[in-house]
Amino acid sequence: MQKALPIGNDQFRIVREKDYYYIDKTLLIKEFLELRDTASLITRPRRFGKTLNMTMLREFFDITRDSREIFKGLAIMDTKYASLINTKPVIYFSFKDCSGKTQDELKVRLSKEILKEYQRYAVIFESGSQDKRDVYVRIFYNNLEKLISCSMSFAELSAYVEELIRVVHDHYGAAPILLIDEYDQPVLSSYENGYRKELGDFFSSFYGSALKGNEYMDQALLTGIQRVAKESIFSKLNNISIYTVIDECYSDKFGITKREAEKLLCDFGMELSAVVKEKYDGYRFGRYDIYNPWSLLCYIRKGRAENFWVNTSTNYLVKEAVKKADERFRREFDELIEKKTVRVGINLETSFIELQDNYSLWGLLVNAGYVTVEDVEDESFMKVRIPNEEVCAEFRKILAEQANISDMDLQGMFRCLLEKDMEGFLKIYRDIVISCTSYFDARENAYHMLFLGMCISVRGIYEVSSNLEQGHGRSDITLKALEPGRPHIILEFKQGSDVETLKKSALKQILKKQYYSGLTGEVLCVGIAHDKKQCVLTWESITVTGSGQAVRENI
C-alpha cells in the first residue's frame, strides 16, 4: 500500500509514528555535529522542510524522549553518531506563528511559545532534584508565572530564553542545544505592521543575550528566510555562522533532490515529466538541483500541475520591496524576464528590512526562493534566474497587483492576444494603462517596458525578447512561439498626440524593417500608439515562409 503524504504535517515524530512517506534527511544531524558551530542559521524559502528538520533534530537529541523507534532504519543510525540519540537537553521554539497586528499581540504570541518550554521543564524539575532556593530556579518560576499571565515587559521577555538555558544546564549538568525555527517571523511581522523600529532593541537583546557568548549553551541552530544583519537589531549576533542557498553545507538537506523526486514519484506510480520539472524544479542549493517539496507533494495528491506555493508574510515583504524598487532594479528585472538570466549585485550580508537597497533586495529574492543563483562570479555579483513556472505565476500576481488589475485579467489579456481577439486585448490593455499612469512618469519608453514586465505571463510558451536586432532594425518586443500552432508576435510602441497616425507608423515599421526575419509561420504584427491614457492599435497577420518571404493577409 502507498503511504500517506505528510501534507500539512511537519512534526517528525508524528510523520514517523503514523508511517507517513518520509524522505530521509537525518544526515543533517551528522553535518550539524561535525560543523560544531556554536550558533548557526540556515536560510531557506518557505515550505522547504525547515520545521520538519528542526523537529527531527529535537527528537534525536532530546534527553527527555525515547526516539530509537522512530529513527529505526534511517541513515543517521548507521553512523557513529547513533549513540548520541536522546543524550542532550534541548530547548526548542517555533516562531512561525509569532506575528501580530500590534506589539501587544506579538508579545502574547512570543510569550505563549516560550511558555511551552517553561511548562515542559517545570514538570521535569518537579520530578527531579531542583533546589528551589537556588537563585536561578527562583528566577525560572518567577518567569513562569509572568509567562502564564503575560504580565512581563518586552525588556523582561528578552532575558527569558537565556535564563531558561542556564537553569536547564544546571539541572542536567550539561549544556543544552537551542533550536529556533523561523526565527525571523516576529521581525517580519513587526515590519509588516509598522512597529519594527519600536522593537529594534528588544530583538537585539532577545536573540543576542541567548546566542552570543552563552557559556551554558552547547550549540544553537536557527532557521529562517532572511540572513541575520551584522548591524542594527542583530548587532549582537555577528558571530553566527550563516548557511544560505549558495553554500555547500546542508545543501541537500532541505527541499527534494532530483534523485529523491524520481523515487517519490515512482513510488506513487508517476514519473518526473517535463511538466513537473518546468513547474517545480529549477532551484539551486549549493551544487544540487532542488524541487519544491510542498508543491511536489501537492501535485501527487491532486494529480495535476497547479500553483501550490501559497502566500505568506514573506510574499508581503517581496511585494512591498518590488513595488518600491527604483529604476535600476526595474531595468534588471525586465532583463531577467527577457533573457531569463541577469547579472546583478547581491548583498547577502544583511537583511532587506534593515538595509533597503537593490543589493539586499536581490538577496531577499534569492533566500526567499523567488530567484535562484545560476552562477556565483564573486561575493558581490551573481547570475540569477526565476527557477520555474510556479514562481513566474507568483511574480505575475505581484505585477498584476501593482498595475491594479487582477491576475485573471492579465492572463485574459494575453489569451485575447494569442487568439487574435484584438478588441478584447485592447480593452484590458487600456485599463492597465489608465491604472498605471504614475508608472510612466519617470520612463521615456514606459509603455514598452510595462508590457515587457507583463510578458512574464507567457514565459514557458514564448521566448521573450526586447530590442531584438532583426531584419533592418530592432523590434520593441518579439514573442517567439516555443510550441507549434501558436503565432509569433511582434509589438511596436509609439507615443505622441496623433495616435491614429502613429499606430499605422508602428505597424509599417515592423513590416518595412522586416522585424519578422528569422521567424517562420504565422506572425502577428501589432502597432500600438499612446498619448498618456489614450491608446489605440492596428495589426496585421502575416505568414513567413521558410525562405523568409512574408505573405500578407487582408485584415
Side-chain angles (χ1 to χ4, degrees):
M1 291 181 61
Q2 291 177 344
K3 294 187 176 185
L5 293 167
I7 296 175
N9 195 322
D10 51 16
Q11 298 298 304
F12 179 81
R13 178 171 288 275
I14 295 175
V15 168
R16 295 293 290 165
E17 287 182 341
K18 294 192 174 182
D19 200 26
Y20 285 98
Y21 193 97
Y22 176 67
I23 296 173
D24 192 346
K25 300 288 186 178
T26 57
L27 289 182
L28 182 151
I29 299 167
K30 176 177 180 289
E31 203 162 352
F32 173 73
L33 290 168
E34 291 179 348
L35 286 169
R36 289 300 303 165
D37 295 310
T38 301
S40 56
L41 165 68
I42 301 173
T43 62
R44 290 296 184 273
R46 52 191 165 92
R47 298 195 177 278
F48 269 74
K50 296 190 294 292
T51 301
L52 183 59
N53 275 343
M54 291 292 271
T55 57
M56 178 261 291
L57 284 164
R58 177 185 65 188
E59 295 294 341
F60 181 83
F61 287 115
D62 196 343
I63 197 172
T64 70
R65 303 169 189 261
D66 183 358
S67 302
R68 289 193 174 275
E69 189 63 28
I70 61 175
F71 278 91
K72 184 180 294 184
L74 297 179
I76 190 63
M77 302 308 288
D78 293 328
T79 72
K80 63 181 180 180
Y81 300 107
S83 61
L84 295 179
I85 192 168
N86 301 133
T87 58
K88 296 175 180 286
V90 173
I91 297 171
Y92 175 89
F93 301 115
S94 175
F95 291 157
K96 65 179 181 178
D97 295 322
C98 291
S99 58
K101 297 289 186 182
T102 66
Q103 296 180 47
D104 287 341
E105 186 179 348
L106 178 62
K107 184 172 71 172
V108 169
R109 296 284 180 87
L110 281 169
S111 63
K112 284 185 176 180
E113 184 60 31
I114 296 171
L115 174 62
K116 293 176 186 178
E117 284 297 87
Y118 265 80
Q119 288 177 322
R120 186 168 76 89
Y121 276 105
V123 173
I124 294 169
F125 294 162
E126 289 297 330
S127 62
S129 58
Q130 281 283 13
D131 185 352
K132 292 189 177 181
R133 293 171 298 178
D134 182 271
V135 61
Y136 286 101
V137 175
R138 293 200 306 272
I139 290 174
F140 170 86
Y141 283 103
N142 181 62
N143 293 349
L144 177 61
E145 291 179 5
K146 288 190 173 183
L147 285 167
I148 292 172
S149 62
C150 199
S151 59
M152 84 298 296
S153 66
F154 274 110
E156 290 174 312
L157 186 61
S158 67
Y160 282 13
V161 176
E162 180 183 17
E163 289 162 352
L164 177 60
I165 292 171
R166 170 65 186 267
V167 75
V168 169
H169 171 276
D170 290 350
H171 176 78
Y172 287 102
I177 291 174
L178 175 64
L179 303 173
I180 303 179
D181 187 33
E182 304 289 4
Y183 89 98
D184 54 347
Q185 179 54 41
V187 185
L188 292 171
S189 178
S190 70
Y191 175 81
E192 179 177 348
N193 292 289
Y195 53 85
R196 179 187 61 83
K197 291 183 179 179
E198 289 84 345
L199 292 187
D201 290 340
F202 162 70
F203 288 125
S204 180
S205 298
F206 183 74
Y207 291 108
S209 61
L211 297 178
K212 185 171 183 178
N214 191 332
E215 60 182 305
Y216 301 103
M217 182 184 70
D218 183 8
Q219 288 180 265
L221 177 62
L222 288 71
T223 66
I225 293 168
Q226 291 207 85
R227 288 184 60 133
V228 173
K230 287 189 174 180
E231 56 277 324
S232 191
I233 67 170
F234 294 114
S235 59
K236 295 182 179 179
L237 292 186
N238 56 11
N239 64 325
I240 198 166
S241 299
I242 312 293
Y243 301 102
T244 72
V245 293
I246 67 172
D247 293 306
E248 289 298 328
C249 295
Y250 301 115
S251 57
D252 62 338
K253 303 304 187 297
F254 297 83
I256 297 178
T257 65
K258 181 181 178 181
R259 180 179 297 180
E260 292 166 343
E262 289 173 337
K263 184 179 186 306
L264 168 63
L265 289 162
C266 179
D267 289 344
F268 284 86
M270 306 173 80
E271 64 178 359
L272 189 59
S273 65
V275 172
V276 173
K277 184 176 178 64
E278 290 171 3
K279 199 77 170 178
Y280 310 123
D281 187 19
Y283 298 93
R284 187 78 178 171
F285 294 175
R287 67 180 183 277
Y288 290 93
D289 290 324
I290 297 291
Y291 286 75
N292 184 321
W294 170 260
S295 298
L296 202 53
L297 292 178
C298 290
Y299 164 75
I300 295 170
R301 170 74 62 83
K302 288 270 191 175
R304 57 183 182 271
E306 298 179 2
N307 299 322
F308 300 109
W309 215 39
V310 298
N311 292 333
T312 67
S313 58
T314 308
N315 180 270
Y316 168 85
L317 180 58
V318 170
K319 287 192 294 186
E320 287 298 299
V322 172
K323 181 179 179 180
K324 297 176 181 178
D326 64 16
E327 177 70 12
R328 189 178 69 184
F329 175 82
R330 290 183 182 276
R331 286 198 304 268
E332 291 173 338
F333 188 76
D334 289 340
E335 186 178 349
L336 177 67
I337 294 172
E338 176 192 354
K339 297 182 179 178
K340 296 190 177 181
T341 62
V342 62
R343 178 181 181 270
V344 294
I346 296 181
N347 184 351
L348 293 177
E349 295 301 318
T350 188
S351 71
F352 177 77
I353 62 176
E354 294 303 312
L355 183 60
Q356 298 185 14
D357 60 17
N358 287 340
Y359 305 107
S360 57
L361 173 52
W362 282 112
L364 168 64
L365 294 178
V366 168
N367 282 321
Y370 283 82
V371 298
T372 197
V373 175
E374 179 79 14
D375 181 48
V376 179
E377 295 185 2
D378 53 44
E379 62 181 14
S380 299
F381 287 91
M382 305 175 193
K383 289 183 179 179
V384 300
R385 56 177 169 77
I386 298 173
N388 54 46
E389 294 307 312
E390 187 175 42
V391 180
C392 277
E394 286 279 286
F395 273 124
R396 188 179 65 226
K397 291 178 183 178
I398 292 172
L399 294 173
E401 286 183 23
Q402 290 187 21
N404 295 320
I405 62 172
S406 72
D407 180 45
M408 295 299 292
D409 279 343
L410 189 57
Q411 294 182 66
M413 183 188 75
F414 278 101
R415 188 179 300 112
C416 289
L417 181 60
L418 270 54
E419 295 174 355
K420 294 187 285 189
D421 176 8
M422 305 309 288
E423 184 177 345
F425 165 77
L426 183 59
K427 183 179 184 300
I428 300 175
Y429 180 65
R430 277 175 174 163
D431 290 341
I432 295 174
V433 169
I434 290 171
S435 65
C436 293
T437 303
S438 61
Y439 182 92
F440 309 130
D441 293 342
R443 310 184 76 172
E444 183 179 347
N445 59 343
Y447 301 101
H448 168 189
M449 301 311 292
L450 171 67
F451 197 90
L452 176 61
M454 294 188 295
C455 284
I456 195 171
S457 295
V458 293
R459 273 179 51 119
I461 59 175
Y462 279 90
E463 178 183 311
V464 181
S465 300
S466 174
N467 293 316
L468 179 65
E469 187 171 348
Q470 292 180 194
H472 305 292
R474 294 179 180 271
S475 60
D476 279 345
I477 293 178
T478 299
L479 303 179
K480 181 180 179 181
L482 299 177
E483 300 173 359
R486 297 185 186 276
H488 307 294
I489 301 169
I490 300 174
L491 300 105
E492 189 69 23
F493 298 88
K494 297 291 184 183
Q495 184 173 353
S497 57
D498 188 357
V499 291
E500 291 298 325
T501 300
L502 287 171
K503 73 177 184 181
K504 296 174 184 177
S505 173
L507 178 60
K508 183 178 179 181
Q509 182 175 324
I510 294 173
L511 299 172
K512 183 178 180 180
K513 294 193 175 183
Q514 299 179 5
Y515 289 159
Y516 49 80
S517 296
L519 303 174
T520 57
E522 184 181 10
V523 180
L524 186 60
C525 305
V526 184
I528 305 178
H530 307 81
D531 180 22
K532 297 180 180 178
K533 295 182 180 182
Q534 183 183 10
C535 62
V536 296
L537 67 78
T538 186
W539 64 287
E540 185 173 337
S541 179
I542 64 174
T543 300
V544 182
T545 65
S547 61
Q549 297 297 311
V551 179
R552 298 178 63 178
E553 302 176 10
N554 292 323
I555 303 300

